[in-house]
Amino acid sequence: MKSTFSIATLSLLFVACGSSQKGSETSTKIVDPVVYGQTITQEDLKTSLYTFASDEFEGRETGAEGQKKAINFLKKHYIKYGVPAAKSDGNYFQDVPLKVQSKPDVALTINEKSLKNLEDFVSINPMETSKLKATEIVNLGYGIEDDKFSNYDNIDIKGKVVFFVSGEPKNSDGTYVISGTKESSNWSNFRQEFALKRDLAEKKGAKAVLYYNPEVFAMAALRFGASSGRMTLAGNDKDMFYFLVNTETTKAIFNEDVRTFDNSFKNKIVKANLDLDFTNNSKDLSSENVAAIIRGTEKPDEYIVVSAHLDHEGVKDGEVYNGADDDGSGTVAVLEIAEAFAKAKKDGHGPKRSIVFLNVTGEEKGLLGSQHYTDNDPIFPLANTVANLNIDMIGRVDPKRKTGDRNYIYLIGSDKLSTELHEISEEMNTKYAKVELDYTYNDDNDPNRFYYRSDHYNFAKNNIPVIFYFNGTHDDYHRPSDTPDKIEYDLLENRTRLVFYTAWELANRSSRIIVDKAE
């Protein structure tokens, strides 16, 4: 950090508040966070980013040599700043075991019709090599179980093959049965519905799932048809097959076009001979999250997680994808915030709650590092995690913004689980950073679905309040031209300070924020 810190330290502001109880007098010192917020400078952000997003780091491909250089860079800085490892054994690295999927060998026959992977169906699950035979398929319609509608009444699917379609039921007036409005529920949300329906079927003991959604079949065939490269978390292999099927395959099962079915799906069990032979061709790969912590002075078992993803696209066709904005900008922001809190603690003003600095891997591969943290190996209990402030691309200006100040930031998710978090965010910005807060992409109907596309979502799905800080995409997004010279460092500085002030307030306020909504 710049030497100006020593001068700034002299300007610490203390407001003494006295109160008496039973004749005794106590005093509380309130520290002005601006003293530490101002230690976050564009010069330091630039210095770090020019290294982190350099060719030396080879695009920080998950599991590759460049990513190993990146995690050691982060460890070195946390040690330099005096921020200890989050893990009790002193290791800054949290192992994230992965599998690199290759196209499996799948032989599937239904009613003596031999079906081809990527043409008649798409195998979309990491499954161990296995075989399956069945003589009937349970038609679950939409595959929904909800207070207002259920396809599971009076039916047991344990050990069965099940079939369901995309979407959810509507009333005759066009409103949705579950919501009672023109707005659909998560049961037909593009990014959520399949996982919700699949996981429900798995919980109820299904052996295989056949999912019909003609709108995404071609896209799924393209994504899952690659010979290699798709990554998944190791240990997440399902004891259940799941496939996306096309219209011709549904005809082979039901002897009619499924699109003509009555939505009541009264005939639930269909006689069908299914024979499946599945061979997994995946390979193991290791990667790492980096986690550091400043322990709280009064409430050390409550945690604020400040996160960013450290990975990017690697090297393609000989060109390095440096990922300066995505997400080098977020990564160096987390480092600067950590250093600011470390300086506060050194001066005797450590946060009341613990601050966890989490740099995750595998975001570009499907939010894998953050998923491992939340689903498999939370270093700290999720029940004790107060909030997640996630930073993913905050160094540029969105060319789509036609009006407004360049000193803006898109905020996503701040009001989705906690009204209080949203209010605190607004208050801290008004008081300290004075950034234009743009909620364009916070709209539930945002077609970009950014709320589901960065690491905060793995916290949100566990009902942990989140804020996603984002500058929007640009022409260099996921291109080799996303380089450090394109970053607008004055904006990066102010946006980083905003996150710091919000984290400071969350960590030091007397009561934990209230979760008043559910994901």
Side-chain angles (χ1 to χ4, degrees):
M1 296 296 290
K2 290 174 67 64
S3 60
T4 52
F5 175 74
S6 59
I7 298 173
T9 303
L10 298 177
S11 66
L12 277 170
L13 301 177
F14 298 97
V15 180
C17 303
S19 63
S20 61
Q21 183 177 14
K22 296 183 179 180
S24 65
E25 185 174 357
T26 62
S27 64
T28 304
K29 292 180 178 179
I30 301 176
V31 182
D32 184 359
V34 172
V35 172
Y36 299 103
Q38 288 179 343
T39 68
I40 297 170
T41 68
Q42 54 184 296
E43 292 85 359
D44 292 324
L45 290 160
K46 185 175 184 178
T47 298
S48 293
L49 188 54
Y50 261 83
T51 299
F52 191 75
S54 67
D55 286 355
E56 177 189 356
F57 286 68
E58 302 172 354
R60 309 186 302 277
E61 171 79 12
T62 299
E65 182 62 28
Q67 183 249 310
K68 309 301 182 184
K69 292 179 180 179
I71 63 174
N72 282 297
F73 173 91
L74 295 169
K75 174 183 176 180
K76 178 181 176 181
H77 278 73
Y78 285 128
I79 292 173
K80 176 183 176 182
Y81 301 154
V83 184
K87 296 177 66 178
S88 58
D89 63 2
N91 188 354
Y92 284 89
F93 303 150
Q94 179 188 39
D95 291 336
V96 181
L98 302 171
K99 285 191 174 183
V100 181
Q101 300 289 335
S102 294
K103 186 170 66 174
D105 297 322
V106 188
L108 176 62
T109 300
I110 298 179
N111 290 336
E112 299 182 356
K113 177 179 175 61
S114 182
L115 304 173
K116 293 183 179 180
N117 191 15
L118 308 181
E119 294 183 20
D120 303 307
F121 67 93
V122 181
S123 174
I124 55 177
N125 67 309
M127 178 77 185
E128 292 299 330
T129 297
S130 187
K131 296 183 179 182
L132 175 66
K133 290 182 179 292
T135 58
E136 60 184 25
I137 295 174
V138 180
N139 187 341
L140 286 176
Y142 293 111
I144 292 172
E145 184 175 59
D146 192 90
D147 291 342
K148 295 184 178 180
F149 179 88
S150 177
N151 292 115
Y152 282 93
D153 291 342
N154 303 315
I155 193 162
D156 181 7
I157 65 168
K158 188 174 182 179
K160 305 287 183 63
V161 177
V162 301
F163 169 91
F164 52 73
V165 300
S166 60
E168 60 181 295
K170 288 184 177 181
N171 296 306
S172 58
D173 62 359
T175 60
Y176 287 92
V177 171
I178 293 172
S179 68
T181 69
K182 295 284 187 178
E183 298 293 328
S184 62
S185 73
N186 290 344
W187 290 108
S188 58
N189 178 300
F190 173 73
R191 291 186 176 272
Q192 292 176 283
E193 72 158 306
F194 173 68
L196 283 173
K197 295 175 180 182
R198 175 204 65 198
D199 292 349
L200 176 61
E202 181 180 26
K203 183 179 179 181
K204 289 180 176 292
K207 193 62 179 176
V209 161
L210 305 177
Y211 173 53
Y212 180 67
N213 186 341
E215 294 181 0
V216 302
F217 187 89
M219 179 179 66
L222 181 65
R223 177 185 176 190
F224 292 95
S227 60
S228 64
R230 187 173 61 89
M231 292 186 188
T232 60
L233 286 175
N236 275 19
D237 291 341
K238 299 287 186 180
D239 187 27
M240 178 181 75
F241 298 96
Y242 42 98
F243 303 105
L244 194 68
V245 294
N246 67 4
T247 301
E248 292 303 312
T249 301
T250 64
K251 288 181 180 179
I253 300 169
F254 301 108
N255 296 316
E256 63 177 302
D257 190 334
V258 72
R259 290 172 295 185
T260 67
F261 283 5
D262 183 324
N263 286 344
S264 63
F265 296 99
K266 294 177 181 178
N267 298 318
K268 292 185 180 296
I269 298 178
V270 177
K271 296 295 182 181
N273 292 314
L274 182 148
D275 196 338
L276 173 66
D277 193 338
F278 183 96
T279 302
N280 189 311
N281 294 315
S282 64
K283 295 181 180 180
D284 293 335
L285 180 73
S286 65
S287 191
E288 300 85 13
N289 294 331
V290 182
I293 188 170
I294 292 180
R295 295 278 178 181
T297 58
E298 296 181 17
K299 301 175 185 291
D301 294 329
E302 293 184 11
Y303 306 93
I304 315 298
V305 177
V306 181
S307 64
H309 72 89
L310 62 90
D311 63 303
H312 194 56
E313 295 286 304
V315 180
K316 300 179 181 179
D317 298 324
E319 291 191 280
V320 178
Y321 285 61
N322 299 104
D325 192 26
D326 184 16
D327 186 27
S329 61
T331 300
V332 298
V334 171
L335 286 180
E336 283 290 288
I337 293 168
E339 185 178 13
F341 273 106
K343 288 182 178 296
K345 183 167 185 176
K346 186 177 180 180
D347 289 344
H349 308 305
K352 294 179 180 178
R353 293 178 179 82
S354 296
I355 309 285
V356 179
F357 305 98
L358 182 63
N359 306 100
V360 296
T361 189
E363 190 270 354
E364 302 290 2
K365 306 301 183 183
L367 316 184
L368 299 180
S370 57
Q371 181 187 354
H372 179 69
Y373 181 94
T374 59
D375 294 10
N376 298 339
D377 185 26
I379 297 175
F380 304 107
L382 299 185
N384 294 351
T385 302
V386 175
N388 169 232
L389 307 180
N390 183 52
I391 314 168
D392 192 349
M393 300 175 61
I394 61 167
R396 297 282 295 270
V397 171
D398 184 353
K400 300 183 186 69
R401 272 178 55 93
K402 304 298 183 183
T403 60
D405 191 345
R406 65 184 282 274
N407 184 30
Y408 76 97
I409 192 70
Y410 293 122
L411 289 195
I412 303 172
S414 63
D415 62 347
K416 292 191 182 297
L417 298 173
S418 173
T419 303
E420 196 171 9
L421 176 60
H422 178 75
E423 292 171 350
I424 289 169
S425 170
E426 289 273 347
E427 179 185 352
M428 293 303 101
N429 182 60
T430 300
K431 190 173 183 179
Y432 298 115
K434 297 177 174 58
V435 177
E436 179 191 341
L437 303 182
D438 190 328
Y439 295 99
T440 297
Y441 295 123
N442 193 54
D443 189 332
D444 288 340
N445 296 315
D446 167 35
N448 298 284
R449 312 298 293 172
F450 286 128
Y451 177 62
Y452 306 97
R453 290 172 55 182
S454 191
D455 294 294
H456 59 277
Y457 184 68
N458 281 317
F459 289 88
K461 74 183 186 184
N462 286 286
N463 290 319
I464 296 169
V466 301
I467 302 178
F468 172 23
Y469 300 86
F470 177 54
N471 54 220
T473 58
H474 41 73
D475 290 342
D476 301 308
Y477 175 65
H478 280 198
R479 297 181 62 84
S481 51
D482 182 8
T483 50
D485 58 295
K486 307 279 184 67
I487 298 297
E488 302 192 38
Y489 288 94
D490 60 330
L491 300 183
L492 179 55
E493 174 189 89
N494 206 28
R495 292 162 175 172
T496 303
R497 289 178 177 181
L498 170 62
V499 182
F500 166 77
Y501 292 128
T502 305
W504 180 283
E505 175 64 19
L506 291 171
N508 289 298
R509 65 200 317 267
S510 59
S511 58
R512 175 175 174 168
I513 59 171
I514 297 171
V515 180
D516 52 18
K517 303 173 186 178
E519 175 57 38

